[in-house]
Amino acid sequence: MSYAQTKLREEKVFKDPVHSYIHVRDLVIWDLISTREFQRLRRIRQLGTTYLVFHGAEHSRFNHSLGVYEIIRRIVDDIFKGREHWDDSERLLTLCAALLHDLGHGPFSHAFENVFSLDHEEYTRKILLGDTEVNAVLRRVAPDFPEKVAQVIEKKYANPLVVNLISSQIDADRMDYLQRDAYYTGVSYGHFDMERILRVMRPREDKIVIKESGMHAVEDYIMSRYQMYLQVYFHPISRSAEMILNHTLKRARKLFHEGYVFKQDPFPFVSFFTGEITLEAYINLDESVVLTYFKWWSQEEDEILRDLSTRFINRRLFHYVDFNPGEELQKYERLKELFTEAGIDPTYYFVHDTTADLPYDFYRPGEEKVREPIFLEMKNGKELELSRKSTIVDAITGRVQRDHKVYFPKERILALTDCKAAQEIKELLHIT
Ligand code: NI
């Protein structure tokens, strides 16, 4: 029997709080889970700095990746198997892509990608195709199998059904993270009836459709995503922590380039600081390393590095106010001057941040980012784009949620009692 078809003698199960159990029968899947690159995901939190706001949110990308795998396993084994339009020979590929879709995420993903101009998708590809344990497992299936897995994750694979299961507006990735993040943060939004959605998903020639009877479950899913973005993912306090993390790394990089002598050699970061990142350095860097260095940096001579890393470790975060520099550029520039006058470096201590999300959208020709809409299959067999049938979804379709904030250390400004610049800052930012 070929490696691809080999089953474990006994099924392995992982206890999971979201899906109850995660079932593994395929030897390939078991071998992938055991690789060092996949195990590394245990040391990367799914929600980055969110645990500083919702203290339960310590779950890892390992948990989430297993969850996405389990949803796909149920779709391909219980719902699609034997149905017209579904090619069962794509089963293992779909399962592998589900399990490995987040493989390239680095520590505190967004902050890291931002500071070092990285793209986790590029690193997913590098880990799949490079000299790694994951690559060795995938290559045993077939020489071109690692490339196929990469193509599915990059949405370039020829079979759109496989791609849509892993990434579309209603995919296994989103279905897992919404429920998982709701569970671990403890919030009441984010829940929806996934069982119902899975049962009404159908493979069609070039896409996946939802039977009309499942529309309300899908509405619930879209609304839960909408709520989670506003209440959890864009939470201003976790963004504050992200800003501090961001600027700590920027400060460390600047000091490194200036020849500053660190008390602890920052060797795990060196290739990131120089921009010549090796795959090995990338795989070795996880959140345990970052947090260890932040603790060391909180003992450093450099005042800014010491202050920022201490703030992150001890959760002494920046305060924020709503402010859009695009609309009030002069005021923004004036504030930067005032921060400098008050002796607070605005590069690190007066930070603008913006977020934006689109809860749901249908395809608009000519748009850069093509969004695969959700299609309902009506009783008469016709397909209808979701927002044309659902009033609730129509109300939020295409509406970008955008918000701008500036972050700064309020307590330092309040402490400057005899300072004219600080007085003006307080007035301009309405802080008391
Ligand atoms: Ni994911």
Side-chain angles (χ1 to χ4, degrees), residues 179-317:
Q179 296 179 86
R180 190 167 300 279
D181 299 343
Y183 176 87
Y184 282 99
T185 51
V187 300
S188 60
Y189 11 84
H191 301 283
F192 59 93
D193 190 351
M194 186 180 76
E195 290 298 325
R196 181 86 192 120
I197 294 177
L198 297 187
R199 283 177 177 281
V200 294
M201 280 178 123
R202 290 290 178 270
R204 291 294 174 254
E205 204 177 336
D206 58 346
K207 60 166 121 29
I208 288 157
V209 298
I210 308 280
K211 285 167 68 183
E212 183 187 359
S213 60
M215 184 179 82
H216 298 299
V218 177
E219 286 179 337
D220 226 20
Y221 155 86
I222 303 258
M223 293 316 283
S224 81
R225 181 164 188 276
Y226 175 77
Q227 296 279 6
M228 285 297 280
Y229 267 85
L230 294 177
Q231 311 286 340
V232 177
Y233 302 140
F234 291 162
H235 196 289
I237 306 285
S238 78
R239 281 161 59 197
S240 172
E242 204 171 292
M243 293 303 111
I244 291 174
L245 179 74
N246 227 307
H247 287 81
T248 311
L249 294 166
K250 284 185 181 165
R251 182 66 182 175
R253 178 175 60 190
K254 183 163 191 288
L255 293 172
F256 175 82
H257 286 297
E258 286 171 355
Y260 176 86
V261 181
F262 290 84
K263 287 184 182 170
Q264 294 284 344
D265 181 6
F267 69 91
F269 294 92
V270 167
S271 81
F272 291 85
F273 291 158
T274 59
E276 287 156 14
I277 305 161
T278 63
L279 186 54
E280 193 54 24
Y282 193 86
I283 292 168
N284 275 322
L285 199 68
D286 55 41
E287 289 176 8
S288 59
V289 178
V290 174
L291 290 176
T292 302
Y293 268 87
F294 272 47
K295 285 209 78 178
W296 282 333
W297 289 345
S298 70
Q299 314 282 326
E300 276 293 345
E301 293 295 325
D302 179 71
E303 203 186 312
I304 293 177
L305 185 63
R306 188 175 68 228
D307 176 62
L308 291 173
S309 48
T310 307
R311 281 175 180 276
F312 191 81
I313 294 289
N314 296 334
R315 199 194 178 278
R316 310 238 165 95
L317 305 179

Side-chain angles (χ1 to χ4, degrees), residues 64 101-102 173:
H64 162 66
H101 78 284
D102 274 345
D173 184 23

Side-chain angles (χ1 to χ4, degrees), residues 46 61 64-65 68 98 101-102 105 166 172-174 176-177:
Q46 174 70 11
R61 294 207 177 264
H64 162 66
S65 300
V68 177
H101 78 284
D102 274 345
H105 271 284
I166 314 288
D173 184 23
R174 292 181 181 195
D176 184 78
Y177 75 61

